[in-house]
Amino acid sequence: MPRPASCAIAGAMIRPLTYIAAVALLISCGDDPSADRSAINSAAVHKALPKAHAPAPATARVRIETELGTVVVELDGRHAPITTANFLAYADDGRFDGTSFYRAARTRGAPERGFIQGGIRRNYQRMLPPIAHEPTSRTGLRHGEGAISMAKADGGAGAMGEFFITANAMPAMNAHGAEPGFAVFGRVVEGMDVVRRILAAPTVPNAGRGSMRGQMIERPVRIVTVRRVDSEGRAAPAR
């Protein structure tokens, strides 16, 4: 069975920008052994999907509850409305619940630096249609410490259900000239200690393909729920 288009495109887009940028270009290509690809008809899946995402609010806080602790992110719907609306659609529909952080991409020689990756992997049953990429050159957002960002594909098709959080500033992931980079759409406001705990999780030396090799977490960190919250941390109604 052919790979999903987003994975095939991401693999074809590697440029000699920097090592970490090349690594990140594979962000949407994690294997999900739990997804029964042969039994899932993508046309049938898309038939059940909503026609359009609800408009993104100017800001929204989302609580990512994991088995290692809670991370709260503040999404910037004013500057990255498409990506924010997409993430909220997954959260509101419970599509992130029961998924995991499965990748700890540590910087060689500086293991406290890098990013963690989580989301639906290649589970078609959870997948929403891809969205247009919002480059940092357009949004003005940057991959600073605690940035939450999503992968993109070529031809304007961007994020689906894969996201990553940076443990430190990673300017190589921003747009540079012809390189569109990745779509930042918010930042961590609580729980950077949890991000770093996940980044430090043991990985399997020979697991993963290509640039992901050696970065797959030995025991993926389960994401219990992903929900909107208000400024006081209380659950907020989905819109």
Side-chain angles (χ1 to χ4, degrees):
M1 183 173 181
R3 292 182 299 169
S6 62
C7 186
I9 292 169
M13 289 177 61
I14 296 177
R15 308 280 202 280
L17 181 60
T18 66
Y19 172 77
I20 193 66
V23 168
L25 281 169
L26 293 174
I27 264 168
S28 64
C29 299
D31 285 324
D32 184 358
S34 67
D36 185 358
R37 300 177 185 82
S38 64
I40 298 172
N41 183 297
S42 61
V45 172
H46 284 276
K47 191 180 296 183
L49 299 178
K51 292 182 179 179
H53 296 334
T59 61
R61 288 198 173 196
V62 175
R63 181 174 58 219
I64 303 171
E65 184 182 342
T66 81
E67 60 183 337
L68 290 185
T70 299
V71 178
V72 178
V73 293
E74 185 170 87
L75 310 186
D76 190 340
R78 181 178 292 107
H79 295 96
I82 297 171
T83 315
T84 295
N86 176 73
F87 191 85
L88 291 174
Y90 276 90
D92 293 345
D93 205 26
R95 291 173 185 263
F96 287 134
D97 297 1
T99 61
S100 66
F101 282 105
Y102 54 87
R103 183 183 183 191
R106 295 184 282 268
T107 302
R108 188 174 301 174
E112 73 284 357
R113 301 170 67 85
F115 64 87
I116 60 173
Q117 178 181 334
I120 66 170
R121 304 183 80 166
R122 289 162 64 179
N123 187 332
Y124 300 149
Q125 291 174 311
R126 295 178 182 266
M127 194 179 290
L128 293 175
I131 58 170
H133 178 57
E134 294 182 303
T136 57
S137 55
R138 182 191 307 161
T139 64
L141 305 177
R142 295 291 181 266
H143 287 88
E145 178 182 331
I148 182 168
S149 187
M150 300 192 84
K152 48 83 186 166
D154 207 353
M160 287 190 288
E162 294 297 318
F163 63 95
F164 63 98
I165 300 174
T166 59
N168 55 280
M170 291 189 159
M173 290 184 171
N174 298 330
H176 294 278
E179 295 290 345
F182 299 90
V184 180
F185 62 105
R187 63 188 180 88
V188 173
V189 293
E190 296 177 27
M192 280 302 295
D193 58 323
V194 177
V195 172
R196 294 189 173 97
R197 199 176 305 149
I198 297 172
L199 184 63
T203 53
V204 182
N206 297 318
R209 295 180 299 172
S211 297
M212 297 176 75
R213 190 173 181 84
Q215 298 177 350
M216 311 310 289
I217 297 176
E218 183 176 22
R219 182 180 178 274
V221 178
R222 189 166 69 93
I223 295 174
V224 181
T225 59
V226 179
R227 293 288 183 274
R228 299 192 200 210
V229 293
D230 61 21
S231 59
E232 302 300 321
R234 297 183 295 253
R239 293 172 174 82

